[in-house]
């Protein structure tokens, strides 16, 4: 299969109502353009400088999502154009996004990254911290809009564990969906997106299944 065929075969497995973010990190602009030419517009990158280099070489109607850990000193570069920051993992980062968004006269859509994995390397709020942030700090940040939650399961072959982690975030999401007007629950990548969708994800971030032969 070529790239376009692989994209369509993945897209085919995504049910209606679930948004597909094509994760194009480490892949060249020519390949992104190939997928763009099918009509797809939503792409995710995890490094700010890589995103900045690519964005200027690609059509301006691409909706760029930032999916990886974002350093506060890099927020200023993406604030003018980023469509959704999926990885707000601390109150400090949220405050910086709010500040930079204000300078651009924007309200930037963001997801709170919630820590569900049993790995030390993953970033994010605990559920208690997320609740505290949403109730007590978010009201003071008028230039960010939290439109939902993002989570990553442990990188393990243990399907029961992955299911348990996705389920815990889905329950937390449902509990707060109405109060905070959430729209997106972003869970699932190449190895686990089918499971994530079963547990209630409505946004999946897929790279390797599309780009790797
Ligand atoms: C790289 C990445 C993905 C995509 O992973 P694949 O396994 O290539 O589908 C999804 N989410 C985040 C946060 C990533 O960094």
């Amino acid at each position: 299969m070529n790239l376009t065929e692989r994209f369509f075969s993945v897209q085919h497995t995504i049910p209606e109502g679930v948004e597909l973010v094509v994760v194009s990190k480490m892949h060249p602009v020519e390949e992104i353009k190939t997928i763009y030419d099918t009509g797809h517009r939503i792409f995710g990158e995890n490094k700010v400088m890589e995103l900045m280099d690519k964005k200027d070489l690609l059509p301006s109607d691409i909706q760029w999502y930032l999916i990886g850990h974002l350093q506060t000193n890099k927020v200023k570069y993406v604030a003018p154009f980023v469509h959704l920051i999926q990885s707000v993992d601390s109150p400090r980062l949220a405050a910086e996004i709010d500040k930079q968004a204000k300078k651009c006269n924007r309200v930037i859509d963001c997801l709170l990254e919630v820590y569900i994995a049993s790995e030390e390397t993953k970033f994010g709020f605990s559920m208690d911290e997320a609740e505290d942030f949403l109730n007590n700090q978010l009201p003071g940040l008028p230039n960010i809009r939290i439109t939902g939650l993002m989570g990553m399961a442990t990188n393990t072959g243990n399907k029961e564990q992955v299911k348990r982690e996705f389920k815990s975030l889905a329950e937390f999401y449902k509990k707060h969906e109405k109060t905070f007007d959430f729209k997106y629950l972003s869970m699932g990548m190449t190895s686990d997106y089918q499971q994530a969708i079963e547990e209630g994800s409505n946004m999946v971030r897929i790279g390797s299944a599309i780009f790797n032969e």
Side-chain angles (χ1 to χ4, degrees):
M1 280 199 279
N2 65 28
L3 178 59
T4 307
E5 288 163 346
R6 284 197 304 273
F7 168 70
F8 282 134
S9 77
V10 168
Q11 194 185 43
H12 198 72
T13 65
I14 311 290
E16 196 151 339
V18 177
E19 192 159 290
L20 168 60
V21 181
V22 172
V23 177
S24 52
K25 66 184 186 201
M26 298 182 300
H27 296 285
V29 290
E30 294 73 26
E31 294 187 357
I32 298 173
K33 184 65 170 46
T34 299
I35 294 172
Y36 175 91
D37 287 339
T38 69
H40 191 80
R41 293 294 178 269
I42 300 170
F43 292 88
E45 291 278 339
N46 70 339
K47 297 226 163 61
V48 170
M49 291 308 152
E50 183 179 340
L51 169 57
M52 299 308 287
D53 289 343
K54 286 173 169 176
K55 153 185 130 49
D56 289 337
L57 302 169
L58 284 159
S60 59
D61 63 340
I62 288 184
Q63 298 177 10
W64 291 108
Y65 288 11
L66 208 67
I67 58 169
H69 175 64
L70 174 60
Q71 288 170 280
T72 47
N73 63 357
K74 302 225 171 94
V75 174
K76 57 179 178 285
Y77 301 113
V78 297
F81 69 90
V82 71
H83 205 80
L84 178 71
I85 299 177
Q86 291 221 1
S87 39
V88 176
D89 55 13
S90 70
R92 194 169 89 94
L93 176 60
E96 178 64 16
I97 296 170
D98 180 68
K99 179 177 150 195
Q100 297 297 336
K102 201 167 293 159
K103 283 189 190 168
C104 305
N105 277 313
R106 295 188 67 201
V107 175
I108 297 182
D109 285 350
C110 297
L111 305 182
L112 274 198
E113 182 170 352
V114 177
Y115 182 96
I116 51 171
S118 60
E119 287 168 315
E120 292 294 325
T121 53
K122 297 259 155 74
F123 293 95
F125 288 83
S126 70
M127 290 181 195
D128 285 348
E129 288 165 347
E131 222 165 306
D132 179 61
F133 173 80
L134 290 163
N135 283 313
N136 301 316
Q137 288 169 279
L138 186 62
L141 305 173
N143 289 69
I144 75 175
R145 186 188 297 122
I146 300 292
T147 58
L149 306 173
M150 187 270 243
M152 279 197 273
T154 304
N155 184 9
T156 169
N158 184 340
K159 291 212 173 248
E160 279 309 309
Q161 182 179 353
V162 170
K163 184 186 164 97
R164 211 177 325 117
E165 291 171 357
F166 284 150
K167 200 184 265 306
S168 70
L169 187 56
E171 278 167 9
F172 184 74
Y173 178 87
K174 280 193 214 106
K175 183 173 160 205
H176 296 289
E177 186 177 10
K178 290 222 169 62
T179 316
F180 297 108
D181 201 17
F182 288 159
K183 293 186 178 58
Y184 297 110
L185 175 58
S186 173
M187 307 192 296
M189 36 212 268
T190 293
S191 61
D192 56 20
Y193 75 90
Q194 311 269 15
Q195 261 188 300
I197 292 169
E198 277 171 33
E199 298 310 322
S201 167
N202 63 9
M203 183 182 280
V204 292
R205 313 174 307 270
I206 302 182
S208 358
I210 295 168
F211 287 98
N212 298 356
E213 281 170 60

